[in-house]
Amino acid sequence: MAGCGMSWLKILGAVIVGALLLTVGILLGHFAIPKAGNGQGAPSQGTPSWVQTVGRDLNESLLQSFMDQVESGKIRENLKTLASQPHMATTKGDEELVKLLLSRWQDPQIGLDSTSEDVYGAFLSFPDPQRPNSVAVVENSNQIFSTRRSEKNVTADQAHADVVQPYAAYAPPGNPRGRLVYANQGKRSDYQELVNMGINLNGTIAITRYGGADRAAKAVNGAEFGVAGVVVYTDPADINDGRASEEETYPNSWYLPPSGVERGSYNGYFGDLLTPYYPAKEFTYRIKESEIQGIPPIPSQPIGFEDAQTLICNLSGPVAPPSWQGSLGCSYPVGPGFRTGGLFPNTSDVQVNVYNQRVIKNSSNVMGFIRGSEEPDRYVLYGNHRDSWVHGAIDPSSGTAVMLEITRVLGKMLKEGKWRPRRSIIFGSWGAEEFGLIGSTEYTEEFYSKLRERSVAYINVDISVFANATLRAQGTPPAQSVIFAAAKQVQTPASSSMSVYDNWRNHFNRISPSYGVIPNLGSLGAGSDYASFIHYLGITSMDIAYTYDRNKTSARIYPAYHTAFDTFDYADRFIDPGFTSHQAVARTVGNVLLRLGDSPVLPPNVSDQEKLDELYSAAAQGDFLANLTANNLSLDPLKAAIGQFKSVAADFNQRITKLKEEESPSPLQIRMVNDQIMLLERAFLNPQAFPNKYYYSHVIWASKSSDQATFPGLADAYTSALVTGDWDQVQKHLTIVVQAVENAASTLEAVA
């Protein structure tokens, strides 16, 4: 009886299992198998959502809707709010803007998916509010002249209690005193020219003009020649088209008033100075201040050109070379010391009084996130710094005003359920940029691995409008195609019948071997927050703005740059009345952002690498080639590598074309080519190439000191070899370039 019972149990169990399997099969068939469509091939509601959306193309009507919703009036309102008070990094004004951005991006009607505030302990430099910096003329123990300690109150803005006195950030404190010399732009060659004139620079004070060499280099170079202190001013020849009187300057025009002083960070590197390669957190190892490189070793102080005129025009000594002359209304002598019969006794000295303090203070990045629908692990990044030296209407609030308008429109579309990007979009309001790109650099350090693995592109809009004549874009070559596509869809403010692209091409153009006459896409240096993204992470990057007509002004930059005159009134009256150029930038940049975020195949064109041919050609001719040949060095491997890259890139683009022609392209194939596009720029990185340059690892775009127009490492090694005879370093950098180009080609090869 026991065996019979067991048999019946087995039979019953089998029946039950069979019934369960049948039920599961019916359920799977009902819910998992695609049903017939609606007669037009549309998938049913039972189909997984990614199947319905993964193949969707860029929505041109949505793109147009976005641009139509961008309002110049909203941007103007944003700028008025942003520039209502000074907001230097970590000050009260800066902290209030942090709250403003968080509030906007958390708004239930127009906000983003999520936000964060990332805080870093940044090493900063401020003037002592109790002991103002100055430049004085002294005779024995008597002070007989002193420069202005603040700009003239032309409007109420300059009288704001939070306007920081002019100073050179990171310049050390001290009170050096000596005979004054005029050293032009403070380049090493300028100081050498003074020595060639027979002038002993030991213990002197050098007065230099902005331009030619970066701020810190003027003092670093001077110290090498024995200079004890440096004074820096903005010459009206460089910023004002020679105009120097109060009647010709702001508030009567856009030109810098005589009392205007350009503040700035006197720092040759970017990122937090105490924590290179590490995010500046509480737990982070910090180097000693004595180990910091690239900051002035001697006291330095900026002044206005009205005070510079008083000093320079009373100098003694020979007349400076013609290329050193400016627009102060006199023939510039070089010194040393003051002339007999001038404003000051010829025995008087100049004393630079600096009381700067270096401190670690918390600085915030404000981050906003929109989650991608199909590829949330692929990031399109958009950034703009928030901090300014004073009111900062143009630098950087014009960029922040544009970013806030873009996020308002996108946030509204998002909240209304009309749009969600294919890829995730990350917005960054960077802190402490003016002190050396600190916020953005710390961000790339903290999230180094994630950003390298997942970032599609970085868009930077720092100063969005320098002036209202034309677009100006800089970027890595593959970014050219997406910027061009966007610019062709936006009307220029000057004419409804002309696109931003055509206007840009009319102002700045080049002849391309592939495309003919096209707008000129400038190269990226390290002047704004794109620096760590391109040089350190190798992410396709771009910087976009509107600027002035070079045929109408020779200004080095917009005249009120980094002064107390960079105010809303200045922007509203002289930079962009009506804010139509701000609107054009917002539409163009937003168009680029949507193309990068929504296009199934990423829009950067890997074949747009004409720069490789240009850099190669510079080395393959004249004395450069002759000297290589004389030292048994050949460019043939480099020529072959570039040829291989161009061939592989062409094949890659053919594969993309075929993929786009397919009715239902494989999502995995799309993902594969997108990863190759995304990783191309990384292939040009070599962390060992420039061991003495923080963060620089991109063999095409790294900084260089040589004037040779070829690859930066090769150019510097060649220039050095002409002096030292060390041609091994030239061969080393030839190897580095060849390897990088070969790596780039292999990145684009068809995956086996």
Side-chain angles (χ1 to χ4, degrees):
M1 293 293 295
C4 182
M6 289 297 294
S7 298
W8 278 106
L9 286 172
K10 290 180 180 178
I11 293 170
L12 180 61
V15 170
I16 292 172
V17 170
L20 287 172
L21 289 173
L22 178 62
T23 302
V24 170
I26 292 171
L27 291 172
L28 284 173
H30 180 76
F31 291 107
I33 299 174
K35 304 299 187 295
N38 58 7
Q40 298 177 341
S44 72
Q45 292 181 348
T47 306
S49 60
W50 66 266
V51 173
Q52 298 182 41
T53 59
V54 75
R56 66 179 170 86
D57 204 349
L58 180 69
N59 188 331
E60 292 287 350
S61 62
L62 185 141
L63 202 60
Q64 187 61 51
S65 175
F66 161 80
M67 293 190 294
D68 290 343
Q69 292 180 69
V70 171
E71 298 180 25
S72 59
K74 294 284 188 184
I75 299 174
R76 185 180 185 275
E77 291 173 12
N78 289 339
L79 187 63
K80 190 171 186 178
T81 299
L82 293 165
S84 61
Q85 62 179 327
H87 48 281
M88 191 165 62
T90 74
T91 64
K92 177 184 175 183
D94 183 33
E95 292 171 354
E96 290 184 5
L97 290 189
V98 168
K99 296 175 184 177
L100 172 68
L101 281 150
L102 288 170
S103 174
R104 294 282 185 95
W105 289 350
Q106 292 169 356
D107 187 282
Q109 275 75 48
I110 59 171
L112 310 180
D113 285 330
S114 60
T115 62
S116 71
E117 181 182 352
D118 301 338
V119 181
Y120 301 96
F123 179 68
L124 306 178
S125 167
F126 298 98
D128 185 340
Q130 305 306 318
R131 294 185 296 172
N133 296 346
S134 67
V135 176
V137 176
V138 292
E139 170 72 5
N140 296 322
S141 59
N142 299 318
Q143 177 177 297
I144 55 179
F145 171 80
S146 182
T147 55
R148 294 182 64 98
R149 294 181 178 178
S150 61
E151 282 114 325
K152 186 175 180 180
N153 294 334
V154 172
T155 67
D157 295 306
Q158 291 77 50
H160 195 287
D162 294 334
V163 172
V164 67
Q165 61 177 271
Y167 78 113
Y170 299 112
N175 308 90
R177 172 176 171 172
R179 301 177 75 191
L180 186 68
V181 295
Y182 170 56
N184 191 30
Q185 296 177 324
K187 303 188 296 290
R188 189 172 280 105
S189 60
D190 293 333
Y191 290 112
Q192 184 61 54
E193 180 69 18
L194 291 175
V195 171
N196 294 343
M197 292 180 187
I199 297 173
N200 182 359
L201 294 177
N202 285 322
T204 60
I205 303 297
I207 184 168
T208 68
R209 61 208 272 184
Y210 277 117
D214 65 36
R215 299 183 189 98
K218 299 176 190 299
V220 172
N221 295 338
E224 292 179 6
F225 287 83
V227 170
V230 170
V231 181
V232 189
Y233 77 100
T234 301
D235 199 289
D238 302 323
I239 204 84
N240 277 5
D241 296 317
R243 293 169 175 82
S245 69
E246 289 189 350
E247 293 75 19
E248 297 175 297
T249 59
Y250 180 74
N252 302 310
S253 75
W254 83 320
Y255 291 118
L256 179 67
S259 67
V261 184
E262 179 182 321
R263 298 150 180 82
S265 176
Y266 283 55
N267 173 13
Y269 292 93
F270 53 88
D272 180 68
L273 292 173
L274 294 181
T275 61
Y277 294 108
Y278 305 108
K281 298 290 189 176
E282 288 185 7
F283 61 83
T284 304
Y285 163 75
R286 286 173 164 80
I287 66 173
K288 298 179 179 64
E289 284 191 37
S290 60
E291 297 174 354
I292 295 174
Q293 301 179 34
I295 60 175
I298 54 179
S300 307
Q301 175 66 19
I303 63 174
F305 67 76
E306 67 176 358
D307 285 332
Q309 179 186 44
T310 301
L311 296 173
I312 291 174
C313 292
N314 282 284
L315 282 173
S316 64
V319 175
S323 62
W324 291 25
Q325 298 297 321
S327 298
L328 294 180
C330 68
S331 179
Y332 295 14
V334 297
F338 295 110
R339 61 185 170 86
T340 301
L343 188 61
F344 310 117
N346 64 0
T347 55
S348 55
D349 293 328
V350 167
Q351 183 168 317
V352 180
N353 301 302
V354 174
Y355 303 100
N356 295 343
Q357 303 169 333
R358 297 173 182 174
V359 296
I360 295 175
K361 297 189 70 175
N362 285 342
S363 176
S364 296
N365 289 340
V366 181
M367 310 303 298
F369 306 92
I370 299 177
R371 187 183 68 258
S373 57
E374 282 82 52
E375 299 182 79
D377 64 332
R378 289 294 178 261
Y379 308 150
V380 180
L381 299 121
Y382 181 118
N384 158 251
H385 76 93
R386 181 185 61 258
D387 65 302
S388 65
W389 285 112
V390 193
H391 293 82
I394 302 303
D395 182 12
S397 296
S398 65
T400 308
V402 163
M403 182 167 66
L404 284 174
E405 176 61 0
I406 288 173
T407 57
R408 179 191 71 83
V409 176
L410 293 182
K412 182 172 181 289
M413 293 162 58
L414 190 69
K415 297 298 185 183
E416 292 175 350
K418 295 178 179 178
W419 167 80
R420 179 169 291 282
R422 174 185 299 273
R423 303 176 185 92
S424 294
I425 297 176
I426 302 176
F427 294 96
S429 172
W430 313 121
E433 185 268 0
E434 294 292 7
F435 288 87
L437 318 182
I438 292 177
S440 57
T441 304
E442 302 313 295
Y443 176 75
T444 58
E445 290 170 338
E446 182 171 14
F447 301 105
Y448 173 83
S449 296
K450 182 164 66 173
L451 293 172
R452 269 183 60 92
E453 294 295 326
R454 302 178 184 179
S455 299
V456 166
Y458 174 69
I459 303 168
N460 194 69
V461 182
D462 182 342
I463 298 171
S464 69
V465 177
F466 291 85
N468 57 3
T470 180
L471 193 74
R472 183 228 65 183
Q474 301 166 301
T476 49
Q480 172 178 281
S481 56
V482 65
I483 299 174
F484 283 3
K488 288 176 180 178
Q489 289 190 314
V490 180
Q491 292 177 339
T492 184
S495 172
S496 60
S497 62
M498 179 179 289
S499 70
V500 165
Y501 174 89
D502 290 332
N503 186 54
W504 178 18
R505 184 176 57 186
N506 290 343
H507 281 86
F508 303 114
N509 59 61
R510 70 180 181 91
I511 299 176
S512 161
S514 303
Y515 307 113
V517 179
I518 59 174
N520 184 51
L521 181 72
S523 300
L524 294 173
S528 191
D529 288 301
Y530 48 74
S532 60
F533 289 94
I534 178 58
H535 296 299
Y536 183 44
L537 297 181
I539 295 171
T540 296
S541 300
M542 63 203 81
D543 183 84
I544 299 174
Y546 238 70
T547 191
Y548 35 81
D549 187 341
R550 288 291 183 185
N551 293 321
K552 295 182 178 179
T553 179
S554 60
R556 176 173 60 87
I557 197 169
Y558 74 95
Y561 176 69
H562 285 191
T563 73
F565 303 109
D566 185 358
T567 62
F568 174 76
D569 177 73
Y570 180 79
D572 194 34
R573 293 174 56 198
F574 298 112
I575 297 295
D576 187 25
F579 282 75
T580 53
S581 294
H582 283 78
Q583 182 183 46
V585 170
R587 286 171 170 169
T588 304
V589 175
N591 190 306
V592 170
L593 181 65
L594 287 171
R595 288 177 178 277
L596 289 166
D598 276 349
S599 298
V601 176
L602 288 170
N605 185 349
V606 300
S607 287
D608 287 342
Q609 290 286 358
E610 294 173 354
K611 190 69 175 180
L612 292 176
D613 287 326
E614 179 185 328
L615 296 173
Y616 169 81
S617 296
Q621 58 185 323
D623 291 342
F624 200 113
L625 179 60
N627 283 314
L628 292 182
T629 303
N631 287 277
N632 299 315
L633 297 174
S634 173
L635 290 176
D636 289 346
L638 179 55
K639 182 178 181 180
I642 293 173
Q644 174 67 7
F645 174 84
K646 291 162 70 175
S647 175
V648 171
D651 290 343
F652 180 82
N653 279 341
Q654 287 183 355
R655 281 190 282 128
I656 288 179
T657 299
K658 291 179 180 178
L659 192 62
K660 289 180 177 180
E661 290 173 351
E662 294 180 16
E663 185 175 345
S664 300
S666 164
L668 293 179
Q669 289 293 324
I670 292 176
R671 176 77 168 203
M672 188 184 302
V673 298
N674 281 343
D675 281 355
Q676 289 175 285
I677 294 170
M678 179 181 73
L679 295 173
L680 175 62
E681 208 68 57
R682 280 31 146 217
F684 290 105
L685 299 185
N686 185 330
Q688 308 303 318
F690 312 103
N692 298 322
K693 298 179 181 180
Y694 285 148
Y695 303 105
Y696 287 105
S697 58
H698 200 297
V699 302
I700 298 178
W701 306 117
S703 66
K704 65 177 181 178
S705 55
S706 169
D707 59 1
Q708 299 291 333
T710 188
F711 297 92
L714 181 60
D716 285 349
Y718 171 87
T719 301
S720 177
L722 292 177
V723 177
T724 66
D726 183 5
W727 291 91
D728 285 347
Q729 288 299 308
V730 178
Q731 184 176 18
K732 174 184 175 181
H733 278 280
L734 267 173
T735 301
I736 288 170
V737 173
V738 171
Q739 182 193 34
V741 177
E742 288 179 343
N743 284 343
S746 65
T747 299
L748 298 179
E749 288 176 347
V751 179

